[in-house]
Amino acid sequence: MKSNYIFITLIIFILSSCKNQEKENFKNEEIRSPNVLFILADDFGLKDMSFVGSSYYETPNIDRLASRSMVFNQGYAGSRVCSPSRATIMTGKFTARHGITNWIGEKSGEDWRSMKRHDKLLPAEYVHSLPKKDITIAEALQNNGYTTFFAGKWHLGDEGSYPEDHGFEYNIGGWDKGSPMGGYFSPFGNPKLKDKVNGENLSIRLSKETNDFISTYRDSTFFAFLSFYAVHGPIETTQEKWNKYREKAVSQNIADQGFKMEKKLPIRITQDNPVYAGLVETMDEAIGMVLDKLDELGLDDNTIIIFTSDNGGVSSADSFSTSNLPFRGGKGYHWEGGIKEPFMIYVPGHTNKGKKSEYPVTGADFYPTILDYANIELMPNQHKDGISLKGLINENSNMPERSLFWHYPHYGNQGGDPSSVIRKGNWKLIHYYEENTNELYNLIEDPFEKQNLATSKPELAESLSKELMNWLIKVDARFPEIDKNFNADNRAMYDNKIRKELLINLEKERLELLDLNYEPSQDWWGSKITKD
């Protein structure tokens, strides 16, 4: 009898141990840190996607990701231009706090006079590389067991401040340049990206490199940052895609007018550029390649996917590529077209697939959100301006009202003026440094910023302006200064030349791009060359 009792007790113990082990395994599986794929487009506007309403561009893979993600309709970049916005993603800080307030390499102070634009102010100085004192999101994840990978555009400092100097174990194509120096077809002219096949497409190549990394480290926990050079100028595509979108533009009836004058520069008001459309489609195809690889490897159920852009679409200067209408402005501008972005987060298993959120969010929020999902303790002393969106995504939790800040004490190449911005609740105030004036908009009632309420609501404008300035002073922001050499007559001559010559030339070039005989080069930027 005693031996039977011992035997039964032993069986019960074994079964109980197995059950407890199963619970422990389930628990470990439940808290397993997810992989993270961060996809960052360059100069890609909110209205450049078909699911948002573009009838010209085709983005089926971005649309597919959006259908699985929470889409933030009030999603903002950290800045109106690239380097500051990218630094905000990496640090979780607004631009005035981390100090990179302009694209790295642009002139400032008295050197600005060499641009011969005859502006009233001398732009502020700014930080020229990602500060070493900051712990980047890559470093935070690497310190917690993630394998980290970067592919594509960096533009956050010269040698010594490359991706591998800020937490990325692998770097393919990231260096100090902000545009594809060799264009979008190999040879790329990039010391961090080895040429393989002449004519290879840059966006496709970056996705292939990302897929190779994912395949290699599929059994580890990884952070892959795919940072496209697309759709930054110079805009290029294949003859086949140009032909497709030229025919599409014709079928949609080519508008008589493609540009109008903004305050200082012409701005594009139509989406009918077939070269840009082809560039957009190729980037979308490259995104589809990575999404398909995750599905193929069975990693989609444990990989968070983020997609956003670093600033608004280029509607003025550069390649005058796209229109952000009905949003006002574009890259380089302080209005919504310059800072409102594609902003979507896919979290495996969440119940809010395809749901739209109207809560205002910013590039600074990615850092704490990623940490939160990775089960890593938040670092509020680092990501000082970002908050975790996990509760909102998973549970539709109520989020606190907060103030968002933008600081750009520079002149944009696209026509924007030195200004700072605060958004609080439904209200957005823009402060201009040239004339020390404000604009005030109710973004719920007037999302396209047509009615300036600064005069009719002076108390609110004053309150927001005061909060903005107090915050800027608190974080030691730098400000532009009056140029004592400013000459109003020289400026008037400069403006007159732009109105008389540039606007006319842009309309001419627009029609040339749509002409049947258009051919930029014999091999369409090398895209027809497939071997040495």
Side-chain angles (χ1 to χ4, degrees):
M1 291 291 293
K2 186 175 182 181
S3 61
N4 288 341
Y5 175 79
I6 294 173
F7 177 76
I8 292 170
T9 302
L10 181 61
I11 293 297
I12 292 172
F13 175 78
I14 292 172
L15 291 174
S16 177
S17 297
C18 290
K19 192 170 184 179
N20 288 336
Q21 186 62 48
E22 287 177 1
K23 286 183 178 180
E24 188 63 27
N25 289 341
F26 177 78
K27 181 180 178 182
N28 289 338
E29 188 70 22
E30 190 176 40
I31 65 173
R32 179 188 171 194
S33 296
N35 304 311
V36 180
L37 170 64
F38 197 117
I39 305 174
L40 179 62
D42 189 22
D43 292 355
F44 189 63
L46 178 63
K47 303 301 290 187
D48 286 350
M49 301 176 291
S50 46
F51 90 93
V52 174
S54 175
S55 61
Y56 189 56
Y57 309 129
E58 298 178 14
T59 55
N61 293 295
I62 296 174
D63 299 353
R64 168 165 55 121
L65 179 59
S67 70
R68 302 164 58 192
S69 307
M70 174 167 272
V71 177
F72 293 85
N73 289 336
Q74 304 296 323
Y76 290 97
S79 176
R80 65 183 81 170
V81 295
C82 57
S83 298
S85 181
R86 291 163 184 269
T88 290
I89 292 171
M90 289 293 165
T91 65
K93 296 178 179 180
F94 292 150
T95 57
R97 195 187 295 273
H98 60 61
I100 302 176
T101 52
N102 204 358
W103 62 270
I104 295 174
E106 180 62 298
K107 297 180 183 297
S108 57
E110 293 187 359
D111 286 345
W112 183 251
R113 292 182 185 133
S114 66
M115 301 291 287
K116 298 181 179 180
R117 288 181 30 168
H118 313 290
D119 291 305
K120 292 182 179 180
L121 304 177
L122 296 176
E125 302 292 343
Y126 62 94
V127 176
H128 283 247
S129 63
L130 200 59
K132 291 284 189 181
K133 65 181 180 181
D134 280 301
I135 301 172
T136 68
I137 180 60
E139 289 171 316
L141 292 174
Q142 185 185 37
N143 291 340
N144 284 274
Y146 276 74
T147 304
T148 55
F149 168 87
F150 185 91
K153 176 174 173 173
W154 178 245
H155 204 186
L156 285 172
D158 206 334
E159 190 168 354
S161 188
Y162 283 165
E164 57 267 38
D165 302 304
H166 293 281
F168 289 100
E169 297 169 64
Y170 300 94
N171 170 28
I172 305 293
W175 60 319
D176 57 296
K177 299 297 186 290
S179 60
M181 301 308 291
Y184 284 97
F185 299 96
S186 178
F188 300 123
N190 185 327
K192 293 289 187 176
L193 184 63
K194 184 179 179 181
D195 293 302
K196 292 183 176 181
V197 179
N198 281 349
E200 182 181 24
N201 180 270
L202 177 58
S203 298
I204 299 299
R205 170 66 180 281
L206 293 176
S207 284
K208 287 180 178 178
E209 295 285 352
T210 303
N211 282 350
D212 288 346
F213 167 78
I214 290 172
S215 297
T216 301
Y217 292 94
R218 58 187 294 183
D219 295 324
S220 68
T221 306
F222 61 77
F223 175 50
F225 200 110
L226 174 53
S227 178
F228 287 107
Y229 281 92
V231 289
H232 193 289
I235 58 173
E236 298 176 347
T237 191
T238 63
Q239 187 170 8
E240 291 74 17
K241 280 188 168 54
W242 168 82
N243 187 61
K244 170 185 174 178
Y245 284 102
R246 180 203 165 272
E247 291 179 356
K248 191 170 185 178
V250 171
S251 69
Q252 293 180 352
N253 296 323
I254 299 172
D256 294 333
Q257 181 182 1
F259 298 88
K260 69 176 184 179
M261 280 300 302
E262 203 15 286
K263 181 179 178 182
K264 293 181 177 179
L265 284 176
I267 191 166
R268 193 177 190 100
I269 59 175
T270 58
Q271 289 189 347
D272 60 5
N273 185 327
V275 176
Y276 182 74
L279 180 60
V280 168
E281 183 180 10
T282 299
M283 182 184 72
D284 182 80
E285 291 169 349
I287 291 171
M289 289 170 55
V290 183
L291 299 182
D292 290 344
K293 177 59 69 173
L294 291 175
D295 292 344
E296 173 193 325
L297 297 176
L299 296 174
D300 57 307
D301 61 354
N302 192 46
T303 302
I304 291 170
I305 306 173
I306 293 169
F307 177 71
T308 192
S309 178
D310 60 352
N311 48 249
V314 183
S315 51
S316 286
D318 300 345
S319 298
F320 290 87
S321 304
T322 190
S323 170
N324 300 288
L325 292 175
F327 293 107
R328 190 175 178 185
K331 177 183 179 180
Y333 286 99
H334 39 277
W335 296 302
E336 295 291 273
I339 56 176
K340 183 170 275 191
E341 304 304 321
F343 197 116
M344 60 188 77
I345 303 176
Y346 163 73
V347 178
H350 78 83
T351 59
N352 291 321
K353 293 181 179 179
K355 184 171 178 130
K356 308 289 194 298
S357 171
E358 297 299 331
Y359 181 70
V361 294
T362 172
D365 296 329
F366 290 123
Y367 195 134
T369 301
I370 292 171
L371 291 187
D372 211 355
Y373 274 113
N375 303 304
I376 298 172
E377 186 175 355
L378 299 187
M379 303 166 59
N381 288 331
Q382 172 56 51
H383 49 76
K384 291 185 176 181
D385 299 310
I387 62 174
S388 173
L389 305 176
K390 182 177 179 180
L392 175 59
I393 295 171
N394 284 3
E395 304 162 5
N396 276 324
S397 301
N398 291 327
M399 303 293 285
E401 182 178 271
R402 56 177 175 155
S403 298
L404 305 179
F405 300 98
W406 293 264
H407 184 56
Y408 191 74
H410 314 280
Y411 289 99
N413 292 337
Q414 301 77 21
D417 289 313
S419 58
S420 298
V421 177
I422 177 174
R423 173 166 181 176
K424 188 173 187 179
N426 298 341
W427 295 96
K428 174 181 176 181
L429 179 132
I430 304 167
H431 178 78
Y432 295 90
Y433 291 102
E434 274 195 351
E435 307 297 340
N436 196 30
T437 56
N438 295 322
E439 289 178 3
L440 178 67
Y441 300 101
N442 184 322
L443 293 179
I444 301 304
E445 297 177 0
D446 180 25
F448 309 132
E449 298 167 292
K450 295 181 178 180
Q451 187 176 7
N452 178 11
L453 302 176
T455 301
S456 60
K457 293 187 176 295
E459 293 183 2
L460 177 59
E462 177 62 26
S463 174
L464 289 173
S465 179
K466 184 176 180 180
E467 181 179 350
L468 172 61
M469 289 303 149
N470 286 342
W471 184 85
L472 290 171
I473 292 171
K474 177 182 175 182
V475 299
D476 296 323
R478 297 177 180 180
F479 298 92
E481 299 178 356
I482 295 173
D483 186 356
K484 297 178 181 179
N485 293 352
F486 172 70
N487 185 297
D489 291 336
N490 289 340
R491 179 68 207 195
M493 291 174 60
Y494 177 84
D495 289 338
N496 188 54
K497 183 177 181 180
I498 287 177
R499 290 179 181 275
K500 282 189 173 182
E501 297 181 11
L502 182 57
L503 192 59
I504 295 173
N505 289 336
L506 285 171
E507 291 288 4
K508 180 181 177 181
E509 290 173 6
R510 170 175 162 262
L511 295 179
E512 287 176 350
L513 284 175
L514 293 164
D515 189 278
L516 270 173
N517 296 317
Y518 174 71
E519 186 170 305
S521 64
Q522 288 186 344
D523 63 2
W524 277 77
W525 301 290
S527 58
K528 290 181 180 178
I529 300 175
T530 57
K531 59 183 178 180
D532 293 330

